[in-house]
Amino acid sequence: MARKSARKARPAARAGKSERERIVDAFMALLAEKPIERIGFAEIAKAAGVSLSDLRATFASTLAILAAHMKEIDRAVLAGGDAEMAEEPPRERLFDVLMRRLEVLAPHKDAVRSLVRSATRNPGLAFALNGLAVRSQQWMLTAADIGASGPRGMLRAQGLALLFASVLRTWINDEDEGLARTMAALDRALARGQRWSGFLDDLLRIPASACRLRRRRRADDEDTVAA
């Protein structure tokens, strides 16, 4: 199946948003204007039209607000699955899922750009964001029908989080409506990831093989003693 060009994402216009949604929206709007380290709780509460008490009751930190935003992005991506992709190879399915994620993120490109810049100069923030990204990428792998559970799944999710972060750096500066540069960057990144995944699968088979060899040698030794 030919890959689809990037589709324009339409932000969901929901009337009567909940307090939680207003807080997340206000935070993302502020993040589009300034670095995350310069966004204060009072500013978020004022922009969201809530009290500091209500803000504290809903979220413990700005990272918690960001995590809520990422969860909503995950949900939007998972809800927009394309049944026609089910028969495609894993790499094509993952390409489709990650492009769909970028489409959902499109209205928040300025906020993502701000976050990428802050993470570049703040290792602690980068580490925290990586934890959130790994959790999201487990869902993206699952959406592409690629195993995301157990040690192997966690390593895949970590690798995909790093891969997607590298693509984001291209995407935030890609002003082409068709996202040609972004699609090319994602394709190259997935090719590298596919090679890494093959190496990883081979690597993870080594311990099991070694255990079987040790058991076989132990059984041979016991037979020798018995004889």
Side-chain angles (χ1 to χ4, degrees), residues 137 141 146-149 151-161 196-197 200-201:
Q137 294 304 337
L141 285 166
I146 298 172
S149 59
R152 184 175 301 177
M154 283 298 297
L155 283 171
R156 281 177 178 158
Q158 175 62 81
L160 189 56
W196 163 249
S197 179
L200 179 62
D201 288 344

Side-chain angles (χ1 to χ4, degrees), residues 5-18:
S5 60
R7 295 158 288 188
K8 287 185 178 179
R10 295 182 178 86
R14 292 174 290 181
K17 289 186 176 182
S18 69

Side-chain angles (χ1 to χ4, degrees), residues 216-227:
R216 191 178 303 117
R217 287 177 176 172
R218 189 179 303 118
D220 290 343
D221 291 343
E222 290 173 354
D223 290 343
T224 300
V225 172

